[in-house]
Amino acid sequence: MTADLVQASWTRIDAWLREHAPRTFATLQPPAGDDEIAAAQEELGITFPPALVASLLRHNGALETPEAFRFSSGDRLLGVRGILGDTGFLRGIDQGLDGETEGYWLYDYVKFGSYDVTSDGLLVDCRTGRDSFGAVGRFFDETGTSFGEADSLGEYLAKEADQLERGQVAGIVTFNGRLLREAPLPVRPKYSADEPLPAPDEQLPELDLSYTPTDLLHVSHLDGHEELGALIATLPYEQVVEAARKQVRRLAVETGLNDYPEVEAALNAWERGEAPPRPDQTDPLALRLRAVLAQADTGRDRTRRWAAEQIALGIWGSPYKSVCESATVRSHFTLDWRADLHADLGHQPLPPIPDDQFWGALSNPAVDSSWYAAQYTQDRS
């Protein structure tokens, strides 16, 4: 029954990925061999639960790439080789702690999902003769092991399939053929746009008006946007300016800030190509945004504060900074922010997800990639 549930769940997962996220589906590897699985159990000196064997007979892990299939926990599916390597590593940590610790890592735990950037990951309890045999837990390098994920890998995979099929309601997003997972968006408070404009001498938070259109953008901001960041870095300046305008308008509409006449008028003028007035704390737009900052601080609404700051940045600052940071703030308001950003960038063909070499070779005076350039030069030499 457990093995059947594993097979049925993988069938659902594979079908969903094949249709909605083919690049992620392509990272799932062919089945492991019976001999390879048997040799792994012998090497580790344990017996795998039937559900883990059945899963390996379906997919021998996922390739370690940016497109890799990952569970909702963020962990990449491991194959036999990864199971041996990661489990052996954690056994070594356990020995360094002067013996087994029930709440940390036990000899009969086997790791089958890896977070990759840390030793965190999913595990299955392989202690035969116990009710917990086959139970799925998660290991955190700082706090150890906890259970409660599922009673079996089959049950865990069934929950993963359910989540995929629920789509955006469960935070499931696809972009450029990849599966991405986002936290479901919280319900946000409603705000009225009927408040009168504050007086110039009213005590309000200061708005950062130190922006200039020529401010450099550090490449790390682009790197966080993956292939979209690479596209922004290589598009002509005029297209980035247009994308920044569209992103700020989207942000203003999504947050309700567009309902304020001062904001709408400023964005309308910006879109008509009119030069924005020199920033001043008592300018009507600045006063309105400062009032929003005060309102956000009172309500502890950080995202609304960020939105007000991004409108100021968009109008008075660097379009490169604006398009990146507006997109980042929009990720708190919509799950479709990647598709929207791609549309605002003109639906240009997307480059591969960039690596350090890409950023090291980048030549864009608006982007500070000096650290990567220095590393790239050292590597070449």
Side-chain angles (χ1 to χ4, degrees), residues 26-310:
T27 69
L28 288 169
Q29 296 301 283
D34 290 322
D35 292 345
E36 185 180 10
I37 297 171
Q41 293 179 83
E42 183 176 354
E43 181 175 335
L44 292 173
I46 55 176
T47 299
F48 288 172
L52 179 57
V53 173
S55 182
L56 288 167
L57 288 172
R58 186 64 177 256
H59 290 300
N60 191 18
L63 293 175
E64 189 176 354
T65 70
E67 299 89 353
F69 173 77
R70 293 181 178 274
F71 297 107
S72 56
S73 60
D75 302 303
R76 177 177 57 87
L77 178 69
L78 292 176
V80 171
R81 181 178 297 180
I83 286 172
L84 290 172
D86 282 30
T87 301
F89 173 78
L90 287 169
R91 284 181 175 182
I93 291 178
D94 181 58
Q95 291 174 0
L97 294 172
D98 298 324
E100 294 185 345
T101 305
E102 185 73 21
Y104 199 76
W105 186 266
L106 298 185
Y107 181 87
D108 290 331
Y109 292 164
V110 165
K111 187 175 170 185
F112 71 89
S114 176
Y115 199 63
D116 287 335
V117 294
T118 67
S119 58
D120 300 353
L122 292 167
L123 62 101
V124 64
D125 190 342
C126 296
R127 292 177 292 176
T128 57
R130 290 174 174 257
D131 291 340
S132 61
F133 180 64
V136 174
R138 195 158 194 276
F139 172 78
F140 293 92
D141 57 8
E142 294 182 354
T143 57
T145 302
S146 62
F147 284 91
E149 300 287 339
D151 290 336
S152 71
L153 182 53
E155 180 184 315
Y156 187 82
L157 290 170
K159 290 180 180 178
E160 293 289 309
D162 290 342
Q163 189 180 75
L164 291 177
E165 291 167 356
R166 289 174 60 206
Q168 285 200 354
V169 175
I172 298 299
V173 177
T174 57
F175 177 72
N176 195 25
R178 294 192 291 138
L179 167 65
L180 301 160
R181 300 176 189 263
E182 301 278 6
L185 298 173
V187 176
R188 308 211 62 81
K190 299 287 186 181
Y191 295 93
S192 171
D194 296 333
E195 302 94 343
L197 190 68
D201 59 351
E202 188 169 332
Q203 293 296 313
L204 297 168
E206 291 284 299
L207 189 67
D208 186 354
L209 297 176
S210 63
Y211 310 118
T212 69
T214 56
D215 287 340
L216 287 180
L217 175 69
H218 194 273
V219 74
S220 59
H221 292 276
L222 290 167
D223 192 19
H225 291 311
E226 300 179 316
E227 63 263 59
L228 285 167
L231 179 61
I232 293 167
T234 52
L235 281 178
Y237 177 82
E238 294 75 14
Q239 284 185 256
V240 177
V241 171
E242 183 63 20
R245 288 175 181 150
K246 291 178 177 178
Q247 283 287 298
V248 171
R249 176 68 82 176
R250 288 184 189 271
L251 179 60
V253 170
E254 289 161 354
T255 58
L257 296 182
N258 198 67
D259 296 337
Y260 292 110
E262 301 83 9
V263 174
E264 184 181 23
L267 294 183
N268 288 343
W270 187 28
E271 290 169 354
R272 290 194 300 267
E274 298 176 11
R278 185 171 182 172
D280 182 274
Q281 296 290 341
T282 60
D283 174 87
L285 174 61
L287 279 174
R288 175 59 68 194
L289 295 177
R290 291 172 64 196
V292 171
L293 296 183
Q295 184 185 60
D297 290 344
T298 300
R300 298 183 180 180
D301 191 345
R302 292 182 301 168
T303 49
R304 188 168 171 85
R305 167 177 262 278
W306 294 336
E309 292 169 339
Q310 293 319 307

